[in-house]
Structure formats: C-alpha cells, structure tokens
Amino acid sequence: MDWLLGATEQKSEYNTVTPTISSPEAVEEALREAMGVGVGGTTVSAVHACARVIAEGLALPPCYLHRETSGGRIAATDHSLYNLLNRSPNSRQTSYEFREQIGWHLALNSNAHVFINRSQRTGEILELLPIDPGNVAIEVDETKLGGEVRYYLYGMRVPASQIWHLKGPAWLSYEGMPTIKAARNALGLATATETYGANLFKNGAKPGGILSPANGTVLNPEQVRELTEFWNSQAKGVGNAHKTILLPAGVEFNPLASTANDAQWIEARRYQIEEVCRFFRVSPTKVFQSLGSQSYASVEQAHIAHDQDTDAHWHARYMQSADKALLTDTERAAGLRVTIDNRDFLRGTAKERMEYYKNGIASGIFTRNEAREMEGFDRSNDPTADLLTPAVNLFGPDKQPQAPAE
C-alpha cells in the first residue's frame, strides 16, 4: 500500500494484474477527454462553464452526517465521518474542494472514484482520497446478471469495498455515461465555430481569396513566393486590418471565403452554447448566456428551476451514493444519513422570508426561536420563544401555550 498512500494504517493485500491503462500517453488522453478538451486541443468555453456550475453547485452547500432519532434528526458529530464530509476528507483538501473535484469528474465523465482508506484495526474511515479518472479502469463479469465489478487503480486491482464510485446518468448499472462522449458532435461543432472565429480575426476579419495575374500572365515559382510574402505582410493579421493595399500591376484579388455574417457565425455560436447547456442540463443563464429579452423575474425563476432540475439531482446522487459506500448496514439501521443542506441557497428575499416566518409562527408550525435560528440570529431568552404560538384569531385562545413556571 505504500505505493498508493504512504504511511497509513491500511495494509491490505492487492492482486497485481496487467495494467489496463497501457501508457502515460493513454492516461493523458483519458484525462484530456475527461476535462472536456475538444477537437484540436481547444477547450470549449461553454463546456468549462457548465461543468463549473455543476461542480460548484455540488460543493457549495454544507454536507453533514446526521442521525435520525425518535426526537428528530441530530448531527452525528461523534462519528469520524462527520468531520471528513463536513470539513476535510484528507490532508490536502477541504470539504468544498473535495466535492468540487468530484463535481468536475461527474459533470464531464459521469464517473468519479474515491479511495476509502480504512483502519485495518477498527474499520474506521481515516480519509477519502479522490482519484484521477484516467487512473481507474473497470471490468465486469458479463457472464451473468449482476456479475462482479472489479476496479483497477494504476493497473492494480483494488477491492470494490475500498472504492467509492459515484455515477452520473448511466446506460449501464456499473458505469456512468460520459457527457462529453454523448455530446461529441455538439462539442465538435462548438470547437469548429471557435476555431473559425479565431482564424477570422487573426486574419484581420477579412476573408481569404485568390491572387491572380491578369491577362493570362504566368508567374514563375520565385514570383509566386514574392507575391505571397508581399500579400501576407500587407494584409494578414489584425494589425493590418482596414489598410489600403496597392497590388503590383497586373495582379487581381478575388475573395472566395464567406464573411462571418454569411456564415451566421454569431448565431451558430449562440446556438451551440444552448446546445451544450442541453447536454449538461444547465440553464443558459447560469453560464451568462442571454436568451434575448429577459426580466429579473424570469432570470430568477430560471435559477430556481436550475436548483430543482440540476443541483437537486446531483445532491441526491451524492447523498445516496455516500450512504451506500461509506456507511455499514449497522450504521444505516441506526439512522445515520449523509445529507447536503441546500436550504440557504433557496432562500427568498428578506421580505419573502419575513412573510414566511410570520405565517409559520402564526400557524403554529415553528417557534420564534426556530425562526431566529433559520435566519442566523442568537436564540431569545424569552421563555415563550421556544413555544408554539398559533394565532388566537385562527385557532382560539385555548390553543395558546403557557410560559413555564419559574
């Protein structure tokens, strides 16, 4: 295990197999693909933005380990997993950084892998170590339904119990379906439009064409070379844009390429951003893409829809996968649950929140101290602040609680 973790308590035996990732070049290619590198080595900005939105949406809300009891849900601060999930899963990362990295892997590759380092003596989880996607290979026994899934890390087989495998949308039960592969055509077209724009402005936003001698004059190779060098020095590049060029006598310029307007370049780029957003299930407003005439209210509703249609699904995947991989059957039976608390990021305006608290207190749903805690205030010392106080005009005076005796 020293080759993987350094000095730890874990000393499990591993079976050496032929590495399934055959070369550093193959690893690099897998990583490049997982990071959304498009055709020709160009990173599509819309892909980067969508993946960042998903990763930050998974990382931003706090993550807790709770214990469900007959008296309600309480924080399981006595369990070692609480601090690993809520504060720091390993010596290198905070909880935010850990979940953000996992979010990038899930958004682009629909697969994220975490090594679970357990104490050999107690079975307690000591740390959670995220693994680069290109360093993990998966094999499955396809001879029967529900066959064994085998994981290989750096070509070495690792027990499935020590790999936390998070999956995104999947066609297969044991592996997620990489978004960048499903969206390959859309990403290729987006890359092509970016390349077109780069070359267009590199050439001073002027189309290419043909330089030809008039009256059928034939140029020798030396004259062709000199004419090409002359044209490139006078017309090519942004620095030469809008200059007037005097061609040698008897030479004509005939443009061939279409302009950006002819190719509807701007419209194509806008459409491809929206197309990429469809694959990632991210609202275009989250990647700062305007959809035309929009009011603040419509953008606000789009963000609420994003929380419900995108973030909530990734949160559910993370929580359920963590419950399955990190907790034992005994711990789950004892009521332990991994939770992501996204309530703070779904809060309305101050006016809307005050109206919510007012109605909740008047209906006897929660107490004034509970409302103060939800808003981040200190608890009140008023003894009635911990009592439900339903409104008299709604529920009658007999429903009003009495302050506890001194």
Side-chain angles (χ1 to χ4, degrees):
M1 277 298 296
D2 290 344
W3 60 274
L4 179 61
L5 292 173
T8 70
E9 291 190 52
Q10 183 64 36
K11 299 295 182 182
S12 299
E13 295 295 329
Y14 290 86
N15 298 321
T16 303
V17 297
T18 302
T20 53
I21 301 176
S22 57
S23 66
E25 291 76 14
V27 174
E28 181 181 358
E29 180 62 27
L31 289 172
R32 283 170 57 82
E33 185 170 287
M35 289 304 295
V37 178
V39 179
T42 302
T43 300
V44 179
S45 62
V47 173
H48 186 278
C50 287
R52 183 172 181 176
V53 167
I54 291 173
E56 292 177 348
L58 180 61
L60 189 57
C63 182
Y64 300 107
L65 181 68
H66 281 112
R67 180 178 287 108
E68 297 176 355
T69 68
S70 58
R73 190 175 64 177
I74 61 174
T77 55
D78 58 327
H79 195 288
S80 62
L81 198 57
Y82 182 91
N83 284 332
L84 292 178
L85 293 175
N86 181 253
R87 295 181 181 176
S88 179
N90 56 67
S91 60
R92 290 184 175 183
Q93 295 177 302
T94 64
S95 176
Y96 183 102
E97 294 166 341
F98 173 77
R99 282 181 285 136
E100 183 184 39
Q101 182 181 359
I102 287 177
W104 275 96
H105 293 175
L106 286 173
L108 296 172
N109 201 38
S110 275
N111 292 280
H113 303 87
V114 178
F115 184 85
I116 306 171
N117 182 25
R118 296 181 184 270
S119 167
Q120 185 180 22
R121 180 173 55 85
T122 64
E124 177 186 14
I125 297 178
L126 304 175
E127 58 183 345
L128 300 171
L129 299 167
I131 307 170
D132 291 340
N135 295 330
V136 179
I138 302 174
E139 291 182 357
V140 63
D141 182 0
E142 298 181 350
T143 62
K144 57 184 178 181
L145 188 64
E148 180 188 11
V149 179
R150 296 180 288 271
Y151 294 93
Y152 297 91
L153 178 56
Y154 303 106
M156 307 289 288
R157 183 172 177 181
V158 180
S161 62
Q162 292 189 266
I163 294 292
W164 176 14
H165 183 185
L166 300 96
K167 297 186 286 289
W171 183 263
L172 303 172
S173 63
Y174 59 88
E175 189 173 24
M177 181 171 54
T179 305
I180 54 174
K181 288 185 178 180
R184 187 179 298 276
N185 290 338
L187 302 188
L189 184 55
T191 302
T193 58
E194 289 190 358
T195 303
Y196 174 88
N199 289 333
L200 177 69
F201 288 101
K202 180 180 179 181
N203 291 321
K206 292 182 178 293
I210 296 176
L211 292 172
S212 59
N215 303 320
T217 303
V218 178
L219 303 179
N220 60 45
E222 181 63 22
Q223 291 173 319
V224 170
R225 184 185 62 79
E226 291 179 355
L227 182 59
T228 302
E229 291 178 353
F230 167 80
W231 177 260
N232 288 339
S233 65
Q234 296 296 313
K236 191 174 182 180
V238 178
N240 289 321
H242 309 298
K243 284 185 177 181
T244 300
I245 302 173
L246 179 63
L247 291 174
V251 177
E252 298 178 350
F253 175 74
N254 300 301
L256 291 179
S258 62
T259 65
N261 289 336
D262 294 334
Q264 294 185 314
W265 178 68
I266 295 176
E267 291 82 357
R269 288 212 66 192
R270 181 187 298 275
Y271 174 78
Q272 284 311 118
I273 292 174
E274 296 174 14
E275 187 77 352
V276 169
C277 287
R278 289 189 187 99
F279 275 102
F280 284 91
R281 198 179 174 87
V282 169
S283 171
T285 59
K286 298 294 288 186
V287 298
F288 305 101
Q289 171 68 13
S290 172
L291 297 179
S293 177
Q294 287 183 304
S295 65
Y296 174 81
S298 62
V299 172
E300 182 183 32
Q301 289 302 311
H303 287 183
I304 293 174
H306 173 83
D307 290 328
Q308 297 172 346
D309 297 335
T310 304
D311 284 346
H313 293 275
W314 290 111
H315 295 167
R317 290 180 184 277
Y318 183 93
M319 291 186 293
Q320 294 181 19
S321 180
D323 282 348
K324 184 176 183 296
L326 305 180
L327 299 175
T328 64
D329 292 340
T330 302
E331 290 172 331
R332 286 191 290 270
L336 287 174
R337 297 288 184 272
V338 176
T339 58
I340 290 179
D341 189 353
N342 194 36
R343 290 177 296 177
D344 284 347
F345 305 97
L346 298 177
R347 290 152 59 100
T349 63
K351 179 180 179 181
E352 292 169 336
R353 296 198 307 274
M354 290 303 107
E355 189 69 22
Y356 169 72
Y357 298 141
K358 176 182 175 182
N359 291 336
I361 293 171
S363 300
I365 296 174
F366 46 75
T367 69
R368 295 196 301 277
N369 263 341
E370 288 173 332
R372 293 178 65 87
E373 286 181 335
M374 284 188 283
E375 199 60 23
F377 298 148
D378 292 337
R379 294 173 61 86
S380 169
N381 293 326
D382 184 345
T384 64
D386 284 316
L387 301 177
L388 294 175
T389 54
V392 175
N393 63 326
L394 295 177
F395 300 97
D398 59 322
K399 296 295 184 181
Q400 294 302 301
Q402 300 298 318
E406 291 288 338

